[in-house]
Amino acid sequence: MTVLQAPNAPAPAARADDRWLARRRWARAGWLYAFMLVMSLFFLGPFLMGLLSSMKDDPNEYPPRLAIPQLSARYIGAAYNLGVQGGGDGWNGGLSPGRTVNFDVSVRSPQGAPQAPPTVALFPYQPVSLVSIARYAQARDFAQVQVTPTGSVGETRSYRITVRYPALTRQTGRVVTGQLTAPTDTLSARLENGQVVPVTLDTPEAQAVQFNLNQYQPVELVENGGRYYLRGPTFERTPLQVDVQRGQSLESSTLPPSDRQNFGRSLAYRNVTPGVLGYTFNNYRRAFNETTNPATGNSLFLKWVLNSFLYAFLRVIAAVVFCSLAGYALARLNFPGKNLVFIGAVLFAQMVPPQVNLISNYVLLKDLNLLNIWGLWFNGLVAAGGVFLMKQFFEGMPRELEESASIDGAGPFTTFWRVMLPQAGPALIALSITQFQGAWNDFFWPLIILRENTNFTLTVGLSNFRQLYGGQGDYGLILAGAILSAIPVIIIFVIFQRYFVDTGADSAVKG
């Protein structure tokens, strides 16, 4: 039997070779993507691990867990409900006068172990702060705690812990919040609109705590007939301690405990009225709140972020203006000493470390009274690396563009401004990103020049976090600050990375 084959049909051996080449191409592509995936995890792994750890109550746990309660929908919903019960706000939480909070726990009590209910109590929590502040009142001094059995299943007994905070006034009316002013013979408070009002104490309980409340203490008031009555201080946190007997163990609770001590029999909940922000993003909220000056209400952390943005913005503007002008002049213009200027002012400036001229620059800025953000910007006004980048870019552009502009009667500056600079978009984007990143992460000169904590950039402020909180092992707040400092650089790069392409200048020239 004779098999007929089309004249142009490939031979079986050729088809096998094509399939083998196709498999090789797919295998190479697969290995390439696998390598890129591994490298992305290698570079992004520390950032993602820091992001997850910044949300934990205990970022020092070992081995570290990727599944954390702060990202669980169940516990986020519970935190929201507890925030509503304690402060009427499911996002910010807190404990306000007249509120009652119910917190459930389940304790396993095997046969032969004590069957007594757990011992509960509120404990004080005074956060460490970069700003010297008076110690605020504590929830344990005003709230009452009660334990009630709610049922049992086998060896597990369920209990409801009720935290009740009675109001200090008998008055009813419009409830407002405020902050106590400087203590005098009569109590007064500053409302949220800035108005200072006298506070009436109409119960013995309110009169008893009058001189126990410090200045700047957040309080809740009742407005009735133009008069303001003290309803009670408000609290951001409601720390709860639960102790079980030997032989007992905690099975479950509305929120998982923040800390376990005494072989798991002493359980600490740093806040049983957290709200979503106080539970999932507690360390981030602390970064802003624990640096707030109570006298002014301004957050130092927010000020550091704004200072870093201002410094980075000024550096970018200066680099775009001066580096593009200097780079074009060194690349295209002919003037005496051009090579000497390039070698001495650009290359040599990059080779000399900044520590060499530390004293001279500092003395100069001090004499000019520029030990602030403006002096920091003036110290790095022209970036030698930026000049080198722009020079190399302009040298790679075709001279026909300038010749065409010259024929039309354009001078050097008009040629630069109207012809060359519009073609330098990718180089300017690259220059802006590198300058922004360098200014945002700059630490050495801000540490030397900036003296007041209100003038700090974010890098210098985070170093204070490390000194203050690192010694106590409170790395969650440090990680939160580090993550916040990394986000702007990532966003800038993601937005502008698509501009890292060719200029298209070659297509502007025919021939």
Side-chain angles (χ1 to χ4, degrees):
M1 180 177 180
T2 304
V3 178
L4 299 178
Q5 191 174 23
N8 297 327
R15 290 197 299 268
D17 291 341
D18 291 341
R19 289 194 296 269
W20 181 81
L21 290 175
R23 288 195 298 268
R24 286 294 301 271
R25 285 194 296 267
W26 280 107
R28 289 179 180 179
W31 280 110
L32 177 61
Y33 279 104
F35 175 76
M36 294 173 62
L37 179 62
V38 170
M39 294 304 296
S40 64
L41 293 176
F42 177 78
F43 287 107
L44 290 178
F47 175 81
L48 295 177
M49 200 65 191
L51 177 62
L52 293 177
S53 299
S54 67
M55 298 181 181
K56 297 179 181 179
D57 286 327
D58 183 17
N60 302 323
E61 65 177 0
Y62 188 84
R65 295 179 299 167
L66 295 179
I68 60 176
Q70 283 74 13
L71 297 179
S72 169
R74 167 193 171 188
Y75 292 126
I76 292 176
Y80 182 89
N81 293 330
L82 290 171
V84 172
Q85 295 180 41
D89 187 349
W91 293 99
N92 294 299
L95 184 63
S96 301
R99 295 281 179 174
T100 299
V101 180
N102 295 317
F103 191 84
D104 297 324
V105 297
S106 297
V107 178
R108 183 173 181 274
S109 301
Q111 292 183 357
Q115 304 299 313
T119 304
V120 298
L122 299 176
F123 64 91
Y125 178 83
Q126 179 67 26
V128 179
S129 177
L130 294 173
V131 183
S132 179
I133 60 175
R135 291 186 173 272
Y136 288 162
Q138 299 289 332
R140 70 167 184 172
D141 299 326
F142 294 85
Q144 305 165 358
V145 187
Q146 182 180 1
V147 180
T148 305
T150 57
S152 62
V153 177
E155 297 179 344
T156 302
R157 299 177 181 271
S158 300
Y159 301 91
R160 169 155 293 180
I161 301 174
T162 303
V163 180
R164 183 177 292 105
Y165 181 10
L168 300 180
T169 179
R170 302 189 184 98
Q171 299 291 330
T172 59
R174 183 171 64 98
V175 177
V176 296
T177 58
Q179 187 181 65
L180 295 184
T181 61
T184 59
D185 293 338
T186 58
L187 198 65
S188 58
R190 179 179 289 103
L191 304 182
E192 290 184 342
N193 59 8
Q195 178 186 4
V196 178
V197 297
V199 177
T200 301
L201 308 176
D202 65 331
T203 62
E205 293 82 6
Q207 296 171 2
V209 302
Q210 174 183 1
F211 297 104
N212 294 329
L213 298 178
N214 293 310
Q215 185 182 4
Y216 310 124
Q217 170 72 52
V219 293
E220 197 170 81
L221 308 172
V222 170
E223 190 273 330
N224 189 346
R227 301 182 67 179
Y228 292 86
Y229 301 86
L230 178 63
R231 198 162 185 259
T234 61
F235 309 104
E236 184 180 277
R237 300 175 182 84
T238 311
L240 178 68
Q241 179 80 23
V242 178
D243 295 317
V244 298
Q245 302 293 325
R246 184 184 298 274
Q248 295 179 332
S249 61
L250 179 72
E251 283 286 306
S252 63
S253 56
T254 304
L255 292 178
S258 306
D259 189 22
R260 295 173 181 262
Q261 299 291 336
N262 195 18
F263 301 100
R265 296 198 303 271
S266 296
L267 311 166
Y269 300 85
R270 297 179 186 175
N271 192 359
V272 294
T273 56
V276 175
L277 296 180
Y279 185 66
T280 302
F281 303 101
N282 180 45
N283 290 318
Y284 293 89
R285 186 171 72 171
R286 289 177 58 204
F288 289 94
N289 290 355
E290 294 186 13
T291 59
T292 300
N293 188 339
T296 61
N298 297 326
S299 172
L300 285 178
F301 190 88
L302 180 60
K303 181 67 174 175
W304 298 339
V305 173
L306 296 178
N307 288 341
S308 293
F309 272 114
L310 176 61
Y311 175 46
F313 176 77
L314 294 175
R315 279 276 298 270
V316 169
I317 295 299
V320 169
V321 174
F322 293 109
C323 294
S324 60
L325 286 170
Y328 179 74
L330 292 173
R332 286 293 196 255
L333 302 184
N334 294 319
F335 55 89
K338 183 177 74 171
N339 294 332
L340 182 63
V341 170
F342 176 68
I343 295 174
V346 179
L347 297 182
F348 185 75
Q350 294 185 81
M351 292 185 290
V352 176
Q355 290 82 358
V356 173
N357 54 6
L358 165 64
I359 297 177
S360 59
N361 286 6
Y362 178 81
V363 172
L364 176 62
L365 294 175
K366 183 179 180 181
D367 292 340
L368 295 176
N369 197 24
L370 287 177
L371 296 181
N372 48 35
I373 291 291
W374 301 104
L376 184 63
W377 171 63
F378 180 76
N379 181 68
L381 190 61
V382 180
V387 174
F388 181 80
L389 172 67
M390 297 306 298
K391 175 182 179 296
Q392 297 301 110
F393 178 83
F394 284 123
E395 284 182 344
M397 296 186 68
R399 290 185 176 274
E400 288 82 356
L401 294 174
E402 296 168 285
E403 294 173 357
S404 300
S406 178
I407 293 174
D408 293 336
F413 183 79
T414 303
T415 301
F416 165 77
W417 181 256
R418 296 290 183 86
V419 179
M420 306 297 286
L421 194 61
Q423 300 292 336
L428 293 177
I429 292 294
L431 176 65
S432 301
I433 291 177
T434 55
Q435 290 299 309
F436 181 91
Q437 182 179 7
W440 186 267
N441 296 328
D442 194 6
F443 177 74
F444 177 74
W445 278 111
L447 180 65
I448 298 300
I449 295 176
L450 305 178
R451 313 312 305 166
E452 298 292 333
N453 58 8
T454 55
N455 292 331
F456 286 170
T457 58
L458 188 55
T459 52
V460 180
L462 290 179
S463 70
N464 289 340
F465 273 12
R466 180 183 60 82
Q467 296 173 6
L468 184 63
Y469 296 98
Q472 302 180 358
D474 191 0
Y475 292 103
L477 191 143
I478 300 175
L479 287 172
I483 294 298
L484 290 174
S485 69
I487 289 176
V489 177
I490 297 175
I491 293 176
I492 291 294
F493 184 81
V494 169
I495 293 176
F496 293 104
Q497 58 88 22
R498 66 188 182 94
Y499 292 99
F500 284 94
V501 295
D502 292 336
T503 65
D506 294 336
S507 62
V509 181
K510 295 182 180 180

